[in-house]
Amino acid sequence: MIVRPPSRVLAPGDVPELQRLIEDANEAEENLVVMSSGSPHVRDGLATAEAHALVDLSAWKRVDLVDRRNRVCRVEPGVTYDELLAALQPHGMTLPMPLAPRSTKSVLAAVMDREPSTWPNKQWDGSDPVGSTEFLFGTGEHFRTGAAGGPGSIDAQRKVGGAQKFSSGPSHTDFHRVLQGAQGTMGVVTWATLRAELAPSIEDPHLLRADSLDALIPYVYDVQRALLGEQSFILNARAAAMLMAGMDAGLLVALCESLPPFLCLQNIAGFERLPEERLAYQRDDIGAHASRHGLELLQALDAVSARDLLSHANNTCGEIDWRQHVHGGCLSVFFLSTLDRAPELAACFTESAKDYGVHESEIGLYVQPVVQNHGCHIELTVSYDPSSGTAEANMQRLEEDAVTRLLDAGAFFSRPYGTADRIFAKNPANFALIRQVKSLFDPNRVLHRGKWGL
Amino acid sequence: MPLDERTYETLTGIVGELWVERAPCVLDTYAYYQNPETMNQDGSQWLPRPAAVLLPDSAEEIQEIMRFCSRSKYMAKPISTGFHTAAAASNDDTIILDLKRMNRILDIDEKNQIAVVEPYVRGIDLQTQLLKVGLNCHIVSAGAMHSLLASHAAAWGYGVTGSSTSYSGRNLLGVEWVLPNGDIVTLGSSGFGAGWFSCEGPGPSMRGVMRGFHGTFGGLGVFTKCSIKLYKYDGPRSWDFEGQSPNYVLKEIPKRGKFVAIAFPSRKAERDGGYKMGEAELNYGEFRTPMFFTALGLTNNNLELKEALDSGLFPKFANHVLSCAFFAASDGEFAWKEEALAEIIKETNAAPVPFNLSASIRSLKLAGKLLAGVKDPLAPLRKSPALRRFAESSSFGAAQRRATQSRLFWLLVRNAVNIQSAFRPSQGMATMMGAFDTWDLAHAQAEYAAKAKQKYIEQGLIIADGGDLGAGGTFESGHLGYLEGIILYDPSNPASVEAVRDLVEGGLRASIDEALGVPIAGFGVNANKELGPACYHYDRWVARLKSALDPNTASDPFFYSEPEDEDDNPT
């Protein structure tokens, strides 16, 4: 695809301005692409071959509700993770985080894209942590989802104890789900309430090491099914080194050499109530699961401590995505499956990569249980130098080939980026339904026209 | 209208002669459901007699039926277990699709905690398999006989294990859906041959138009299979019991299991207690047990119920009771939960109801007399942890304690809702309010309902239950809360029925005027008209969806939405 730059950048100051802008776009048949995160953008979510105006909501920065009793907050599109964590921290709360997001990454953009968090047992539903939302349809019509959908104003709802936390509704609708994952094609979200969690008052993170991915999986199943522990994910040595090394190429090499082939981060924590006692029983129970599977809870490996890794995971990684720190470019292919299928799907990618001269040791692997481990996010990465045209073209070919093979092998590309957009053809009835809904939500196709052929 | 011969032949050609029914005596069995007299504007107990009842056995047969409906005057209305009036046909051109032949549990994926079920798999069917392997599913409080597919894909309902097993509509992981035009679409990962683990995507999730909070009640096609999320269960895999229905008594209380009714001293304390227990992730099952329900559950007939209430005891201790069950996988976890509960009881000045005291009518009468001048009979328990421990563990009254704990096991784990008992006082039960959001909002709704009912209680039109029959609990470790206001009425008394209608409609108006959320009755053509303008005109959007996906009205729209009226379209 030949990506076109925007013809102009629009920065509406509030919802009425945004609404007028969308209505004008309908009149003028202008194509709008909406952006909330700051640059540089990692994926091609904003990319389009169509002429378009860019609508920049990154200056919408309000966090105007932090409710400790109901564990909920409300954010506008431009709020970043650092800003939100700073707002939640005085109230003893936090938000399940994606793995080390960029410092300019919009929280709202991430959750509306169903970006996985590292805290799987706090995610009850695939749409969490989104509570209620306010959005504008492609027609400019105004809507609120979930409990915020009414009746009554937000103030009136709060006066009787409501906190706009329930996500479904009003009544027969559940439109926030239509907007999630839509990459700006179905509507423009102007705020969302998010389900916050108590921040741990004490933490005792651990690492488990293994020579194979298969060796860690039974342990993860047992611990996640029991809803034990807190943040938890699996990285291979390459991915862990990429996350920890920052811009230091030498450290990256050293970490790759010293880290075990696979490791699992397992945070254990206590909260406001009986924290030490909670941590103690959880450590015992999790330790017993580890032992049963021939694994050991370690506070540190030679090269890295669990606390350091958790800190990297739970904080932003700077303006540049951690995957791009050392080499500048990174192919990232990600999809959903169940945890038991992770090894074979990772192997499928590895097979593809070999055909393009990529050695197994160059492939990063991140496996993230999601929705209380009813599924998992599997991400495979290959770093490259984007200034080399050859490398870039090679990665594009690898991506196309790998996506085709993974699709055939049963990977589910729930969040289609790049060449993964071909997935729609595999379920034409579902795509026909999406098109019908698009024609209702955005009949004049002013929102990200042409995306996925919509 | 009765089917004409040509239509009959067409339908028998699809499902077979054996599975098409048009005898009026059979059709009328599909015209009577829960509290119809409150839904029918004329107070009638009969709903429309459907044109026919079909019993298809596959998505392909249903596909053919929907195609037929798309080109004829008939509309399809699917039901599975059916209970509420929303299961009924809205007129006599409606063909009921009774899905009870589609009763297969297609898969239980223990490792990934996913079950795939057909429409007539009932909660009890699946749960009986699941508990044996340490898993459970969410079952709504209509009872374990309800269709899991109905509550997960097509309708609503609150369940007593919501604190640990969420809400059915949020537990949907995939669905096979026969659209009104007969097309079959499978949403999420399963539609891509990737397994039944996710209903979201790719890209925008069409789950957002297939159900909402309330569901479509058969108004937008037919769901023929779905996958649902399962949860851990640390309770007993099997159990021995004695006694007879409905009073089964466990021979042994499960190890690392606790069953307790916590009496809070005030509504505020009860609210606080719900939040605190949620944050501590304590409860597996939880049911706010109003005073009247407590007395109802402890008695076997209406005379006993009256005598129990006349003892005067219940209003003294049972106005703010949460009945709870929790389990633990290890001794360490159980000890932590016990300690956390003790802290919460202390912080809220609550007391566990002593289960070791006899609840016989004779005992209640005696206790009522002895405690006539005592304002708070549980005060000693509130003050003394030692006394609480004695009540919970001494051999005194151990058999009685085990019997009461058993009741909670069957209620909170097996969802053995004694419907016969719930309808016993007056034969009629209706409900109002019931919007989901916070536990505080749930209580605001319960308070509204209790107040609104007083007038009708004083007039003798509904049961004098104290007013507050706010039933429900917290969900997802206290993140959400839900209470609906139960009304017990006499279905044979038109004035009583009218009172219920006033209450439900008044509740709907109060939801709008006082911002109390979209109530449980806030669905379907009539409610949409009232609620839509107060809720961002969602009614217009569902009407547009109905027009787009069901242009020939092949699905009965009444409990979902009519197609869009051109005059209503602002665009």
Side-chain angles (χ1 to χ4, degrees), chain B residues 300-312:
Chain B
N300 292 312
N301 57 56
N302 284 351
L303 179 60
E304 284 186 7
L305 172 62
K306 181 179 182 304
E307 289 177 332
L309 292 169
D310 285 347
S311 74

mmCIF file with all atom_site columns, all heavy atoms in Angstrom, chain B residues 300-312:
data_model
loop_
_atom_site.group_PDB
_atom_site.id
_atom_site.type_symbol
_atom_site.label_atom_id
_atom_site.label_alt_id
_atom_site.label_comp_id
_atom_site.label_asym_id
_atom_site.label_entity_id
_atom_site.label_seq_id
_atom_site.pdbx_PDB_ins_code
_atom_site.Cartn_x
_atom_site.Cartn_y
_atom_site.Cartn_z
_atom_site.occupancy
_atom_site.B_iso_or_equiv
_atom_site.pdbx_formal_charge
_atom_site.auth_seq_id
_atom_site.auth_comp_id
_atom_site.auth_asym_id
_atom_site.auth_atom_id
_atom_site.pdbx_PDB_model_num
ATOM 1  N N   . ASN B 1 300 ? -41.920 -24.127 55.583 1.00 0.00 ? 300 ASN B N   1
ATOM 2  C CA  . ASN B 1 300 ? -42.364 -25.091 54.577 1.00 0.00 ? 300 ASN B CA  1
ATOM 3  C C   . ASN B 1 300 ? -43.748 -24.808 54.014 1.00 0.00 ? 300 ASN B C   1
ATOM 4  O O   . ASN B 1 300 ? -44.163 -25.449 53.053 1.00 0.00 ? 300 ASN B O   1
ATOM 5  C CB  . ASN B 1 300 ? -42.349 -26.506 55.178 1.00 0.00 ? 300 ASN B CB  1
ATOM 6  C CG  . ASN B 1 300 ? -40.928 -26.967 55.449 1.00 0.00 ? 300 ASN B CG  1
ATOM 7  O OD1 . ASN B 1 300 ? -40.060 -26.859 54.592 1.00 0.00 ? 300 ASN B OD1 1
ATOM 8  N ND2 . ASN B 1 300 ? -40.672 -27.435 56.656 1.00 0.00 ? 300 ASN B ND2 1
ATOM 9  N N   . ASN B 1 301 ? -44.495 -23.905 54.633 1.00 0.00 ? 301 ASN B N   1
ATOM 10 C CA  . ASN B 1 301 ? -45.815 -23.557 54.093 1.00 0.00 ? 301 ASN B CA  1
ATOM 11 C C   . ASN B 1 301 ? -46.162 -22.139 54.542 1.00 0.00 ? 301 ASN B C   1
ATOM 12 O O   . ASN B 1 301 ? -45.457 -21.539 55.364 1.00 0.00 ? 301 ASN B O   1
ATOM 13 C CB  . ASN B 1 301 ? -46.883 -24.570 54.516 1.00 0.00 ? 301 ASN B CB  1
ATOM 14 C CG  . ASN B 1 301 ? -46.966 -24.700 56.026 1.00 0.00 ? 301 ASN B CG  1
ATOM 15 O OD1 . ASN B 1 301 ? -47.167 -23.702 56.725 1.00 0.00 ? 301 ASN B OD1 1
ATOM 16 N ND2 . ASN B 1 301 ? -46.805 -25.925 56.539 1.00 0.00 ? 301 ASN B ND2 1
ATOM 17 N N   . ASN B 1 302 ? -47.246 -21.641 54.012 1.00 0.00 ? 302 ASN B N   1
ATOM 18 C CA  . ASN B 1 302 ? -47.581 -20.239 54.267 1.00 0.00 ? 302 ASN B CA  1
ATOM 19 C C   . ASN B 1 302 ? -47.985 -19.978 55.715 1.00 0.00 ? 302 ASN B C   1
ATOM 20 O O   . ASN B 1 302 ? -47.763 -18.885 56.244 1.00 0.00 ? 302 ASN B O   1
ATOM 21 C CB  . ASN B 1 302 ? -48.692 -19.791 53.331 1.00 0.00 ? 302 ASN B CB  1
ATOM 22 C CG  . ASN B 1 302 ? -48.166 -19.545 51.926 1.00 0.00 ? 302 ASN B CG  1
ATOM 23 O OD1 . ASN B 1 302 ? -46.950 -19.548 51.713 1.00 0.00 ? 302 ASN B OD1 1
ATOM 24 N ND2 . ASN B 1 302 ? -49.058 -19.357 50.967 1.00 0.00 ? 302 ASN B ND2 1
ATOM 25 N N   . LEU B 1 303 ? -48.575 -20.987 56.365 1.00 0.00 ? 303 LEU B N   1
ATOM 26 C CA  . LEU B 1 303 ? -48.943 -20.797 57.769 1.00 0.00 ? 303 LEU B CA  1
ATOM 27 C C   . LEU B 1 303 ? -47.672 -20.634 58.603 1.00 0.00 ? 303 LEU B C   1
ATOM 28 O O   . LEU B 1 303 ? -47.573 -19.728 59.447 1.00 0.00 ? 303 LEU B O   1
ATOM 29 C CB  . LEU B 1 303 ? -49.783 -21.980 58.266 1.00 0.00 ? 303 LEU B CB  1
ATOM 30 C CG  . LEU B 1 303 ? -50.198 -21.892 59.736 1.00 0.00 ? 303 LEU B CG  1
ATOM 31 C CD1 . LEU B 1 303 ? -51.046 -20.637 59.988 1.00 0.00 ? 303 LEU B CD1 1
ATOM 32 C CD2 . LEU B 1 303 ? -50.981 -23.141 60.160 1.00 0.00 ? 303 LEU B CD2 1
ATOM 33 N N   . GLU B 1 304 ? -46.718 -21.501 58.325 1.00 0.00 ? 304 GLU B N   1
ATOM 34 C CA  . GLU B 1 304 ? -45.437 -21.379 59.047 1.00 0.00 ? 304 GLU B CA  1
ATOM 35 C C   . GLU B 1 304 ? -44.787 -20.031 58.758 1.00 0.00 ? 304 GLU B C   1
ATOM 36 O O   . GLU B 1 304 ? -44.219 -19.411 59.656 1.00 0.00 ? 304 GLU B O   1
ATOM 37 C CB  . GLU B 1 304 ? -44.487 -22.509 58.615 1.00 0.00 ? 304 GLU B CB  1
ATOM 38 C CG  . GLU B 1 304 ? -44.816 -23.859 59.224 1.00 0.00 ? 304 GLU B CG  1
ATOM 39 C CD  . GLU B 1 304 ? -43.762 -24.910 58.868 1.00 0.00 ? 304 GLU B CD  1
ATOM 40 O OE1 . GLU B 1 304 ? -42.723 -24.555 58.266 1.00 0.00 ? 304 GLU B OE1 1
ATOM 41 O OE2 . GLU B 1 304 ? -43.990 -26.068 59.196 1.00 0.00 ? 304 GLU B OE2 1
ATOM 42 N N   . LEU B 1 305 ? -44.876 -19.618 57.514 1.00 0.00 ? 305 LEU B N   1
ATOM 43 C CA  . LEU B 1 305 ? -44.282 -18.334 57.151 1.00 0.00 ? 305 LEU B CA  1
ATOM 44 C C   . LEU B 1 305 ? -44.924 -17.201 57.962 1.00 0.00 ? 305 LEU B C   1
ATOM 45 O O   . LEU B 1 305 ? -44.229 -16.335 58.512 1.00 0.00 ? 305 LEU B O   1
ATOM 46 C CB  . LEU B 1 305 ? -44.469 -18.084 55.650 1.00 0.00 ? 305 LEU B CB  1
ATOM 47 C CG  . LEU B 1 305 ? -44.076 -16.712 55.130 1.00 0.00 ? 305 LEU B CG  1
ATOM 48 C CD1 . LEU B 1 305 ? -42.588 -16.442 55.335 1.00 0.00 ? 305 LEU B CD1 1
ATOM 49 C CD2 . LEU B 1 305 ? -44.420 -16.584 53.635 1.00 0.00 ? 305 LEU B CD2 1
ATOM 50 N N   . LYS B 1 306 ? -46.240 -17.234 58.041 1.00 0.00 ? 306 LYS B N   1
ATOM 51 C CA  . LYS B 1 306 ? -46.939 -16.187 58.792 1.00 0.00 ? 306 LYS B CA  1
ATOM 52 C C   . LYS B 1 306 ? -46.511 -16.222 60.257 1.00 0.00 ? 306 LYS B C   1
ATOM 53 O O   . LYS B 1 306 ? -46.220 -15.179 60.864 1.00 0.00 ? 306 LYS B O   1
ATOM 54 C CB  . LYS B 1 306 ? -48.445 -16.376 58.674 1.00 0.00 ? 306 LYS B CB  1
ATOM 55 C CG  . LYS B 1 306 ? -49.254 -15.306 59.409 1.00 0.00 ? 306 LYS B CG  1
ATOM 56 C CD  . LYS B 1 306 ? -50.734 -15.506 59.252 1.00 0.00 ? 306 LYS B CD  1
ATOM 57 C CE  . LYS B 1 306 ? -51.504 -14.385 59.977 1.00 0.00 ? 306 LYS B CE  1
ATOM 58 N NZ  . LYS B 1 306 ? -51.154 -14.274 61.405 1.00 0.00 ? 306 LYS B NZ  1
ATOM 59 N N   . GLU B 1 307 ? -46.468 -17.423 60.820 1.00 0.00 ? 307 GLU B N   1
ATOM 60 C CA  . GLU B 1 307 ? -46.096 -17.526 62.238 1.00 0.00 ? 307 GLU B CA  1
ATOM 61 C C   . GLU B 1 307 ? -44.647 -17.086 62.464 1.00 0.00 ? 307 GLU B C   1
ATOM 62 O O   . GLU B 1 307 ? -44.329 -16.458 63.478 1.00 0.00 ? 307 GLU B O   1
ATOM 63 C CB  . GLU B 1 307 ? -46.317 -18.967 62.707 1.00 0.00 ? 307 GLU B CB  1
ATOM 64 C CG  . GLU B 1 307 ? -47.797 -19.307 62.815 1.00 0.00 ? 307 GLU B CG  1
ATOM 65 C CD  . GLU B 1 307 ? -48.047 -20.764 63.221 1.00 0.00 ? 307 GLU B CD  1
ATOM 66 O OE1 . GLU B 1 307 ? -47.196 -21.625 62.913 1.00 0.00 ? 307 GLU B OE1 1
ATOM 67 O OE2 . GLU B 1 307 ? -49.078 -21.022 63.827 1.00 0.00 ? 307 GLU B OE2 1
ATOM 68 N N   . ALA B 1 308 ? -43.802 -17.418 61.506 1.00 0.00 ? 308 ALA B N   1
ATOM 69 C CA  . ALA B 1 308 ? -42.402 -16.995 61.632 1.00 0.00 ? 308 ALA B CA  1
ATOM 70 C C   . ALA B 1 308 ? -42.306 -15.468 61.629 1.00 0.00 ? 308 ALA B C   1
ATOM 71 O O   . ALA B 1 308 ? -41.600 -14.867 62.452 1.00 0.00 ? 308 ALA B O   1
ATOM 72 C CB  . ALA B 1 308 ? -41.580 -17.577 60.491 1.00 0.00 ? 308 ALA B CB  1
ATOM 73 N N   . LEU B 1 309 ? -43.037 -14.858 60.718 1.00 0.00 ? 309 LEU B N   1
ATOM 74 C CA  . LEU B 1 309 ? -43.003 -13.387 60.651 1.00 0.00 ? 309 LEU B CA  1
ATOM 75 C C   . LEU B 1 309 ? -43.652 -12.762 61.879 1.00 0.00 ? 309 LEU B C   1
ATOM 76 O O   . LEU B 1 309 ? -43.188 -11.739 62.401 1.00 0.00 ? 309 LEU B O   1
ATOM 77 C CB  . LEU B 1 309 ? -43.698 -12.906 59.374 1.00 0.00 ? 309 LEU B CB  1
ATOM 78 C CG  . LEU B 1 309 ? -42.959 -13.246 58.078 1.00 0.00 ? 309 LEU B CG  1
ATOM 79 C CD1 . LEU B 1 309 ? -43.844 -12.983 56.859 1.00 0.00 ? 309 LEU B CD1 1
ATOM 80 C CD2 . LEU B 1 309 ? -41.669 -12.445 57.952 1.00 0.00 ? 309 LEU B CD2 1
ATOM 81 N N   . ASP B 1 310 ? -44.719 -13.412 62.365 1.00 0.00 ? 310 ASP B N   1
ATOM 82 C CA  . ASP B 1 310 ? -45.401 -12.891 63.549 1.00 0.00 ? 310 ASP B CA  1
ATOM 83 C C   . ASP B 1 310 ? -44.523 -12.943 64.798 1.00 0.00 ? 310 ASP B C   1
ATOM 84 O O   . ASP B 1 310 ? -44.797 -12.246 65.781 1.00 0.00 ? 310 ASP B O   1
ATOM 85 C CB  . ASP B 1 310 ? -46.696 -13.680 63.811 1.00 0.00 ? 310 ASP B CB  1
ATOM 86 C CG  . ASP B 1 310 ? -47.792 -13.306 62.821 1.00 0.00 ? 310 ASP B CG  1
ATOM 87 O OD1 . ASP B 1 310 ? -47.615 -12.279 62.121 1.00 0.00 ? 310 ASP B OD1 1
ATOM 88 O OD2 . ASP B 1 310 ? -48.803 -14.026 62.738 1.00 0.00 ? 310 ASP B OD2 1
ATOM 89 N N   . SER B 1 311 ? -43.507 -13.789 64.755 1.00 0.00 ? 311 SER B N   1
ATOM 90 C CA  . SER B 1 311 ? -42.612 -13.847 65.924 1.00 0.00 ? 311 SER B CA  1
ATOM 91 C C   . SER B 1 311 ? -41.910 -12.511 66.146 1.00 0.00 ? 311 SER B C   1
ATOM 92 O O   . SER B 1 311 ? -41.416 -12.223 67.227 1.00 0.00 ? 311 SER B O   1
ATOM 93 C CB  . SER B 1 311 ? -41.564 -14.952 65.730 1.00 0.00 ? 311 SER B CB  1
ATOM 94 O OG  . SER B 1 311 ? -40.588 -14.530 64.781 1.00 0.00 ? 311 SER B OG  1
ATOM 95 N N   . GLY B 1 312 ? -41.871 -11.695 65.110 1.00 0.00 ? 312 GLY B N   1
ATOM 96 C CA  . GLY B 1 312 ? -41.254 -10.371 65.242 1.00 0.00 ? 312 GLY B CA  1
ATOM 97 C C   . GLY B 1 312 ? -39.736 -10.391 65.201 1.00 0.00 ? 312 GLY B C   1
ATOM 98 O O   . GLY B 1 312 ? -39.079 -9.360  65.302 1.00 0.00 ? 312 GLY B O   1
#
